Every structure is written in C-alpha cells, then in structure tokens.
Amino acid sequence: MKQEISLKVNGDTYDLYIEPWRTLNEVLREDLNLTGTKLGCGSGDCGACTVMIDGKSVSSCLTLAVEANGKEILTVEGLAPSGEALHPIQEAFIEKGAIQCGFCTPGMELSALNLLKNNLEPNETEIRHAISGNLCRCTGYNKIVDAIADAGQRMKSQQ
Amino acid sequence: MPAPHFDYIAPTTVDEAVAALVKGGKDARVMAGGTDLMVKIRHRALFPKQLISLKRIDGLNAITFDEKSGLTIGATALLADVASHPVIRQHYPTVAEAAQSTANVQVRNMGTVVGNLCNASPSADNAPTLIALNATVNITGPNGTRSLPLDEFFRGPGLTALESGEIVTSIFVPMPPAHTGTAYISISQRGQLDCSAIGLGARVTLDGDRCTDVRIVVGACAPIPLRTKDAEKMLIGQELTDELIRKAAQKASDETSPITDVRASAAYRQKVTTVITIRALIDARKMAKRKK
Amino acid sequence: MKAFNIIGKDIPRTDGKAKATGQAVYADDIKLPGMLHGKLLRSPLAHARIVNIDTSKAAALPGVRLVITGADLPKVTTGNWRLFPKTQDEYALAIDKVRYIGDEVAAVAAMDPDIAEAAIELIEVEYEELPGVYDIESALKADAPLLHDGYKTNISIDRKIEYGDLDKAFAESDYVREDTFTVQAQSHAYMEPCSCVSQADQEGRITIWTSTQTPYIVQCLLASALNLRENDVRVIKPTVGGGFGGKMELRSWEVCSAFMAQKTGRPVKFTLSREEELMAGRRRHPMTIRSKIGFKKDGTIMAKDLHIYLDGGAYNAMGPTACFLAGNFGAMLYRYPNYRYLGEHVYTNKPPASAMRGFGAPQTLFAAETQMNMAAEDLGIDPIDLRLKKRPGDR
Ligand SMILES: Cc1cc2nc3c(=O)[nH]c(=O)nc-3n(C[C@H](O)[C@H](O)[C@H](O)COP(=O)(O)OP(=O)(O)OC[C@H]3O[C@@H](n4cnc5c(N)ncnc54)[C@H](O)[C@@H]3O)c2cc1C
Ligand code: FES
Ligand code: FES
C-alpha cells in the first residue's frame, strides 16, 4: 500500500506518495530526478549511492524511502552553495585530480563531508577509514585522500 | 524475480511493535537498521509481507551506564554510536572496537549492535566480545519480558532463541570485575568493509598472575559464535604463561568446526584461530594487568 | 625557458565540475518520455540446446510491451573483427544453443523494471543440457564437447609470430629453462554497470545513448545487426563510469534496446545489475603460459619460445586481439634475438573474456618477469643486473 511521506532534500520539501518497498535511491533518482546519487551495487558495498540523512552518511540503496520520512536529506546536488560557487570538497576533488570517471565522486564527496564535519584535519589513516565504504576503480585512492585533506584545509580557512 | 512488495509500519512503542509482530506472524519482520534485512530482500533471499521498523520507538536507541550494574545498549543504538560512545570506550573499550570493526561508515550509521546479534550470522563482529563479557539479552514478547545469556541466544546460522512475536529491546553488559582485560581480533580480506573470516573475542580476569576467569569466543568458525570451553578450562586457576596460552589456543582451534567458504578455507581458519587466540589472550592479559 | 600553455601545468579536467556536482549524465541517468524498461533472460545452464521458448505468459503480463527471443532478431552474428567474419560468433540473443551461465536468451520491455523482471520469470525455456568444458585442459581433450559448429576443436583462432632461428639459438645456449604459468580471470568491475537507452524515429533510425568506450564500433556493428545503414545509427556516448576494456564491443542489450525501440515506438532502457556484471560480464583472459627461454652464462638472452592458451569463454569477444597482443607483449622489454609465439584461443563454457587494461600484457609479463627471477637465481646473477644487461642492438 502506498504511503504519504515528506522528504526534505537539499532544502526543498517534497510530498510524495510512494510504495513502501522503494528505496531512497530509487525515489531520488526516478521520482525527483536527482541522478547525481549513483547506484553501483545495490547491496551496501560500493558507496556510490551515499547520501546524508540528518547529517549522517548512509547508503541510499539500503534505505527505504519511507524510513526517511520527515528527515533532511543531502545529496551531491545540494553540496555547492550556488550555481557559481563550489563546495570546498568539490574544489579540492577537481584540483587534486581526484576525479576520473566520476561515478564514485558524489558518494566520495559525501563520505568526505561526513568526516570533515567533525574533523577538519584528519590524518591519512582517518581519511582512508572514512572512505572505506566507497569504492573507486579509477584513481587508486591516493588523489582522493589528498583531496580530502586539502578540502579540510579549505574549510578551515573559510571558518 | 522482482523485489518483494511489503507493507511498512513504524510503531512508536515496544508493545505496539510486539502486537504487530504477533499479528503479522511469519510474514512479518522486525527491522532495525535494515543493513542485513535489505540486502537479503534485494537478493531475493527473504520475502517478508510486512516490515516493522523499530526506529521510531522513543528511547529504544538509548545507551545507559551505571557503575554498579553495567551497560545497556538499546535495540536501535547505532553501531557508530556504540563505537564512539565515551563511556563505552572507557569502560568497555573492546565493545567499542568490535562495533568500529563492523562494516563501513555508512553501514555503521544505519545498522545496530542488536541487529548484528539478531541476524545471528556466525561471523557477527559484535557477538564474540559481548559473549565474552557475559552479556544478556533483554526480550519483550506477547508473554511479557525475559532475559537470556547471550551465550544461549544463538542456535545456528540465522537462528536465535527468539520465540515468535518476541523482540530484543536491549543488551545488557555487566560491569567487568577488577583486573579484567578484553580483546577482539578479526581477520577479513578487505580489512573493514567485509564480514570477518574469523573473529576472536577474549576476556581474562586475573588475581595477581593467576587467571580466575576467562572466556574465549570464536566467530565464523562454527554454526554459531562459539565459546571454546575446554580451552577456557585449561586456563582457569593457572598462571597465564605464554606457554600455557599457546596450548590453550591450540585447544580452542581444535574445538571449532570451520567450513570453507568465500571468506576463507577451513584449513586457514583452523590455523589462524590458533594465532589470533594467542594474540587476543596476550592483549587481554596485558590489559588485565593494567586495569585496577 | 619557453613558457608553455599546457605542458608542465596543472590543467583541471574539462568535465571536472560536472562530475563534482553530480550534473554529469551517465546512461542510466537518462529518462525519456514514454520510456520502457528492458530486462534480459539469461541462461541458467552452461551448455544446452534450446528446444523451445514460450513467451506467451510473459507477453500477457499487464505492463509488458514486448518480449523477444533470438528468432525475432535479424540472424546476424557480431564481433569486433569485421574483416574476419568467421570470428564474429555471437548472437545478441541465443539461437539454438546457450554456451555459458548468463548467456542472453530473451528480452522484455515493460512499463517499469519490476514488471520486466516479473515477466522474465514467466518465459518458459525448454533446454536439453549438454556436457560442458570449464578449463583449457578439458576443452582441448580429443573427445571434448564442442561449443561451436563448424570447428573441429575448441580452438577458435590462433596467432603466430616467429623470427630468428630458435633451434640454433637454444642449441647455443648455456642455460635453458621451461616453465608453465597459469593466471586467473579478473572482472573489470567498473563502478558504473552497463546501461543504454535507445530511441527510434518513424523511419526506424536509431539514437542510442550507451555506456561504451567505443561509439564507432557500436555504430557499425549495430547497423549490421539490425540491417540498417551506418548513418541511420547515431551513438551518443554519455559520461561513462569506467570501462577498462570491458565496454568496447556491441553488446546484447544494445541490440535489444534498439530493436525494441523500433518495434514499440518507445525509448527502451536497459541497465544491468551488479550481479549480472559479475556473473556474466566480460573479464580478463585466464591463460596457461608455457615459456621456454635460453641464456648464455653471462646472462645474454638467446631465445624465447612462448606458447599460450587463452581461456576465451563461450565467444570470441575481443579474444582474437588478446591472442595476438599476448604474443607481442611476450617479446617486450628485453631484446629477444630469436622468438617464437603460438597463441591459441580456446572456447570454454564460461563468460567470454575480452579486452582489459594491458590486454594480454599483465599475464605474459607476469610469466616473463617471474621466469627472469628464476633464471637469475640459477645463473647466479643479480636479477636487476640480468635485466639491465646490454644486449646486442641495445643503445
Ligand atoms: C556492506 C556491508 C558490510 C557489512 N559488514 C559487516 C561486518 O564487517 N561485520 C558484521 O558483523 N556485519 C556486517 N554487515 C552486516 C550488518 O551490517 C550488521 O549485521 C548490522 O549490525 C545489522 O544491524 P541492522 O540494525 O542493520 O539489522 P537489520 O538488518 O535491521 O536486522 C537484522 C536481523 O535481525 C532482526 N532484528 C533486528 N533487530 C531486532 C530486534 N530488536 N529484535 C528482534 N529481531 C531483530 C531482523 O528481523 C533481521 O532478521 C555488513 C553489511 C553490509 C551491507
Ligand atoms: S549502490 Fe549503494 S552501496 Fe553500492
Ligand atoms: S573516478 Fe571512476 S570510480 Fe572513482
């Protein structure tokens, strides 16, 4: 039976009427056309679907949309403060060469934010632990690690 | 096969949840973080007609601590919360470490310690330490509440002692006696992300150099997280020398009945169980000596 | 020093901003009005004759718009080597036989992915199971079941390279060793599962957005598969989430989506699941590599005789290229004055192996470098010195 839910995604409120078995990933991508959030495995293993719910990073492929009812969701589309300015994490990813095919990038950036929101100066081990749930098949991770460290510095200088 | 279709309810009290579970019968499933449940549903290994979410039950995510009695971890307390909880890190560091070594950041932000236990995977990362610490499971069902030692909770892969209609509301971990040390060591291919090929939880209580109590619990090497009682017997009342630890570790490995699967071969498990039992007992001994 | 615009500068990638903000469009992100969702029925058996396929129940399911089998498609085989039609051995949907677990048998287009998946289950296929071969050794046995008609053995193609005088060089060598190395399969595991959307116009001309590394190959092969002119097929390569060689051919779902778009008049999208990718996706060739190498006492390389069997899986895919390149790579890094290569590409009842980063090099060079170390030990020469040794013709 369909259920009425309300999702606040990137600051916008959506009232939806959806089937309870649908995942947040499906609803974001198909109903809201927010396709920045990717689907790489559907089983919690790759992190391409990472979004934030109430400030915590989660796998949207394992989250039922109904579970997110009334919560605040942040996707990659909501990271940049405006159409012109990028989020420091996005700037750092671009400048440090942390993006190749880009399929892992939205999830990586949200995992980076999940780390940096509490710790702007993480060491390498902390960064690697923070992205242990995000697979990247292109970069070999080193540049992503550099980018996250750099993003922390950028965020710090903005404070 | 398309993904199963189910109804979803989110009761706000334990009693409502129990009532719904009774009403739903076999077709109903309790869901905490859903990180096990959703994977099974998506892989078409489970076809529930109703999911009963526990996440909207007020207070069920509480983590409480009392110096005299011990620690209570609520059913919806997240793995991430247990891993970072200051009191748990101080008084039960190995409980926090085991939660931290479960899955990855995202899964720890969704999944729960209690869900990890209720899922009853032989490799559940949180089971060995909690069994070693004599944890008990608090259960509420149609006939009221009861509690059970965690050691008696597991009945086989995916099977627990829960009767139909019963829900685990929390897990209680008594305050360990003085001079007690614990350790959890897990081996897995990808370090953190994947389930353990072998997990080992140990607890050692000392009186001077003499061991007065000990628990050795092996994960992923038997149908349930296994207490190796013969190995424990070898240590109780004895001075914990490296030599004796080595012998007991060998015994512990003999008591397991590992299988070969995608995570490791039986032979590897048998061999490595000995190695990590030695390491865990030595770590636990060191901590016991340090602890007042 | 001259100042360059590009060289020596950090140049941010042109699509970096689109990717960092989630605006980059990958195939599965595309949604067109009226779009249908496709799903493939795959063989549950490694080797079987198809006796009968009944799609009536699937076609009758509400929400299903079209069900097709190999019999509905033009009977055209595809493969990347167009100049060697015999190497083109794969139908978009199986005809008569399936040759590996995951071989595509039928396709459904429906209103949503759930309906398509339900319909797939309603297709009834009657198989007559055949004995299979699962490794090089059993595929080469004299009485091994053959995967493809028109062949006397399971060797689909061979390549040879030879120069110098091997017999003389080995006779003049002070030290000769022969070793056999085996290497296993490997998945590309690109993060983006394969996906495509096709749209047909009133004339049946196709526009296909597909996650591919090789739009021109898709264009020319899709045109032949559907009996279209090449300029009636427009391939748009959206952002691609990794390929590593695994997205360099025309694949079953691309043919099915284009064909079904023509038939239904509606766009049709196919997106594979990770399970499909790992079960039936392309992979790196497992190989059995027999390498014989001769040296002078001082470490001078005299000759190398390399014989490689490539475990190609059920179809050629880009195996012929791998078969050829393995021989080229086998002669690389050191100057081999006398060299012989025989590569044989073997059919087995497994997913087809194909191009993957290095394309034959990792396997052959693993064998070559390991053998170098073994030889160095026997010759009493430091492995680095053995490698750095100047050889006739070196500069
Ligand atoms: C990518 C990934 C990696 C993982 N890695 C690990 C790992 O390294 N180690 C490991 O041990 N596990 C791992 N897991 C498994 C899983 O994340 C854990 O077992 C987690 O703790 C389960 O908790 P949950 O709250 O999500 O449980 P759920 O999925 O909600 O529930 C699990 C089971 O327990 C039942 N249940 C839950 N709560 C209760 C309750 N209160 N009363 C009665 N029954 C209940 C449910 O009905 C279900 O059968 C991994 C999972 C994923 C997706
Ligand atoms: S798609 Fe969710 S973790 Fe891979
Ligand atoms: S950039 Fe391609 S997967 Fe990370």
Side-chain angles (χ1 to χ4, degrees), chain A residues 41 43-47 59 61-62 67 133, chain B residues 21 28-40 46 51-52 54-55 60 74-79 98-104 106-108 110-127 137-140 153 158 160 162 166-170 184 186 188 190-196 263:
Chain A
C41 68
S43 53
D45 290 292
C46 77
S59 303
C61 71
L62 295 182
E67 288 264 282
Chain B
L21 193 54
R29 277 276 173 165
V30 173
M31 180 162 92
T35 58
D36 276 310
L37 212 53
M38 284 297 292
V39 172
K40 286 182 188 160
L46 204 66
L51 290 189
I52 303 163
L54 300 178
K55 284 217 166 151
L60 205 62
T76 52
L78 299 176
L79 286 158
Q100 182 71 27
S101 72
T102 310
N104 57 49
Q106 293 92 321
V107 171
R108 288 196 297 275
M110 306 166 72
T112 63
V113 170
V114 171
N116 187 242
L117 302 174
C118 291
N119 190 55
S121 160
S123 67
D125 268 316
N126 297 274
V137 183
N138 294 323
I139 299 168
T140 299
F153 184 68
T160 65
L162 286 177
E166 284 188 328
I167 290 173
V168 174
T169 50
S170 63
Y184 179 63
S186 68
S188 73
R190 285 169 59 192
Q192 272 212 320
L193 185 70
D194 54 341
C195 295
S196 298
R263 297 200 186 103

Side-chain angles (χ1 to χ4, degrees), chain B residues 1-3 5 42-44, chain C residues 113-115 117-118 121 275:
Chain B
M1 208 179 295
H5 294 177
R42 281 197 44 89
H43 287 168
R44 321 295 192 251
Chain C
D114 271 9
I115 299 175
E117 220 170 308
E121 298 236 310
E275 289 80 1

Side-chain angles (χ1 to χ4, degrees), chain C residues 140-213:
Chain C
L140 292 177
K141 286 211 175 104
D143 59 349
L146 297 180
L147 272 81
H148 291 267
D149 296 341
Y151 285 87
K152 292 204 177 63
T153 69
N154 280 317
I155 294 174
S156 75
I157 192 168
D158 60 28
R159 312 302 301 160
K160 293 179 186 124
I161 300 172
E162 183 164 359
Y163 51 82
D165 185 340
L166 272 275
D167 292 342
K168 182 160 169 277
F170 277 123
E172 288 170 1
S173 298
D174 298 320
Y175 170 78
V176 176
R177 68 175 299 139
E178 187 174 331
D179 301 285
T180 301
F181 301 88
T182 57
V183 289
Q184 82 282 23
Q186 186 187 5
S187 170
H188 303 87
Y190 32 73
M191 290 307 295
E192 179 210 16
C194 287
S195 177
C196 73
V197 188
S198 297
Q199 190 168 37
D201 70 9
Q202 294 305 313
E203 264 52 66
R205 291 180 295 214
I206 298 293
T207 303
I208 177 169
W209 291 260
T210 184
S211 176
T212 186
Q213 297 172 254

